[in-house]
Amino acid sequence: MITVGSPYLPDRGRLWSYLERIYEVGQVSNNGPLVRELEERLKDFLGIDHMLLVANGTLALSVAVKTLNIAGEAVTTPFTFVATSAALSNVGVLPRYADIDPVTLNLDAASAEQALTEHTTALVPVHVYGNPCDVRALGELARRRGLAIVYDAAHALGVDQDGASLLRWGDAATLSFHATKLFHTGEGGGIVFREKEAEERARSLINFGMDQDSGTIRYPGGNAKMSELQAAMGLAVLEDLPDILARRGEILRVYETALQGWVEFPRWSPDATRNGAYAPILLEDQGARDRLWSALERADIHCRPYFYPALSTAPPYHAEQRFRNAEATAARVLCLPVYPGLGDHTVRFICETIKKELSSWAG
Ligand code: T4K
C-alpha cells in the first residue's frame, strides 16, 4: 500500500538521547529545556527573531488571533484545511470568505478587498501547499484598511522568498508540526511574530494567561503549551530537515517532469524555494479527478483531494455566496504521495499508473 503521507521517523538512538534528558532533569512540560532548545534552533534554521512553540497548528492560529486582538470578522480562503476556519471560530471570529487566484490557489487580494465589511479586523490568508500568497498585495491591502494579517503557514516551513523565510510576512505566521508535516513533533505548532511584545503576550496566553516566572495572572488565557516529549521528537527530526526538504523537492520534480502535459499543476511562485509539502495535480473537472482517484485506489496508491470540499460549501461554515475558483479547484485537485521514504521506483510506478489510466480514457 502506498499512502499519501508517512510521518518521518528519526533515528531511534538520536530520539532516545533527547528523551534521556527528560529523565535526567525530570521536567516533562511547562516551557522545559527541550522546548526552549527547539525554539532557538528553529529560529536559527529559519532566520527569524520571535517564535513560540505550541501544542498544535490549530491552537497556533487561535492564539495568534487572540494575541493580536482580532475580533468580529476575518477575511480568509475557503480553499484550505478546515482547521483554518475552525481556529477562527473557536475564538469567536467569523470567517468571511473571498475567492482564490485560480493559478496560485491562494487568497486573491482583489477578492479579499471586496469581502471586507465594517466588522473585518484581519486577513487570514493561507500559503496553500507552501506556495507563497501575494504577500505584497495583501500587505498593502491590510495597511490601507488598517487590518492585521495572520498567515496560516501550516504548509510553509522551510520556504524562502527573495532569499529569506516566508514566515517573516504578516503580524504573525502560524505553523503546524503535525506528524504528517515535513517537520513534526507528533502534534505541535509554532507562531512567528513580527513584534517581540506580541510573542511575550502569546507566551502568557498559552500558559493560562499567567506570567511564567512570577505567576501573575495577566489575561484570560488557556493551555496550548508544547510538552518536552513533543520537543524531543522535533529536535531529533530537525537534524534531518535539510535532507527531508531535498528529497521532497526531488520527488516533486520527478512528478512534474513525468506528468507534464498529462495533468495541470498550480503555478508556483518563481521567487520562492519549494519545500515539497504537498504534490497537487489538477484534472479537468470533478468527474476526471474522481475517476483517476478511483483508478489509483485500485492500484493501492492512496491519494487525497486536499482540500475538498471548499469550506464555503461545508455545513458549519456554509456561505450564501459562491466562490467559483475555490469550488472548481477543490473539485478537481488531487494530492499525490510525497514523503522522503518514497523510493524513485515507487514514484515512477505512480506516474506510469496515472498515464496508463489517462491514456485509456482517450480510447
Ligand atoms: N492550517 C492548515 C492549512 C492545515 O493544513 C492544518 C493541518 C492546520 C492548519 C492545523 O494544524 P494541526 O492542528 O493539525 O497541527 C492531516 C493532518 O492531521 C493535519 O495536520 C493537516 N493540516 C491536514 C491537511 O492533514 P489527514 O486527515 O490527512 O490525516 P490522516 O490521519 O488521514 O493521515 C494522512 C496520511 O498519513 C495517511 O496516508 C496515513 C498517514 N499517517 C498519518 C498519521 C497521523 C501515518 O502513516 N501515520 C500517522 O501517524 O489530516
Side-chain angles (χ1 to χ4, degrees), residues 3-7 56-59 61 80-81 83-84 126 152 154-155 175-181 187-189 278 302 304 306-307:
T3 56
V4 69
S6 178
N56 61 58
T58 309
L59 281 169
L61 193 47
T80 177
F81 189 56
T84 311
V126 181
D152 181 340
H155 308 164
L175 292 158
S176 165
F177 303 148
H178 183 259
T180 52
K181 298 293 191 292
E187 292 278 355
Y278 291 84
H302 299 281
R304 286 284 171 83
Y306 296 125
F307 297 98

Side-chain angles (χ1 to χ4, degrees), residues 264-278:
E264 289 172 54
F265 299 95
R267 190 182 68 212
W268 299 96
S269 166
D271 308 322
T273 59
R274 289 173 59 183
N275 64 3
Y278 291 84

Side-chain angles (χ1 to χ4, degrees), residues 140-305:
E140 167 56 21
L141 171 61
R143 193 194 56 74
R144 229 174 344 102
R145 304 294 288 261
L147 306 168
I149 299 195
V150 179
Y151 283 103
D152 181 340
H155 308 164
L157 187 98
V159 175
D160 285 349
Q161 192 179 39
D162 300 323
S165 175
L166 179 61
L167 304 174
R168 73 197 189 284
W169 290 91
D171 298 292
T174 63
L175 292 158
S176 165
F177 303 148
H178 183 259
T180 52
K181 298 293 191 292
L182 58 88
F183 165 79
H184 76 93
T185 55
E187 292 278 355
I191 316 174
V192 175
F193 286 105
R194 177 179 287 160
E195 307 287 347
K196 181 159 181 52
E197 209 178 50
E199 181 211 304
E200 282 168 358
R201 185 171 145 82
R203 212 169 271 288
S204 166
L205 284 174
I206 67 163
N207 185 33
F208 314 103
M210 294 191 320
D211 184 274
Q212 165 96 10
D213 298 325
S214 66
T216 310
I217 301 166
R218 294 185 187 282
Y219 315 104
N223 179 3
K225 288 172 274 117
M226 178 180 277
S227 77
E228 292 289 276
L229 291 156
Q230 289 169 288
M233 176 60 94
L235 285 161
V237 174
L238 187 59
E239 295 187 27
D240 294 332
L241 188 50
D243 295 339
I244 295 171
L245 290 166
R247 177 63 191 149
R248 282 175 169 268
E250 261 168 34
I251 294 173
L252 245 55
R253 282 190 288 280
V254 175
Y255 278 137
E256 288 180 359
T257 307
L259 298 175
Q260 198 64 49
W262 292 84
V263 297
E264 289 172 54
F265 299 95
R267 190 182 68 212
W268 299 96
S269 166
D271 308 322
T273 59
R274 289 173 59 183
N275 64 3
Y278 291 84
I281 57 170
L282 294 152
L283 282 297
E284 200 175 330
D285 54 26
Q286 181 155 11
R289 191 273 306 276
D290 291 350
R291 197 171 161 190
L292 178 65
W293 187 12
S294 302
L296 290 167
E297 286 286 318
R298 286 195 298 276
D300 236 355
I301 302 167
H302 299 281
C303 301
R304 286 284 171 83

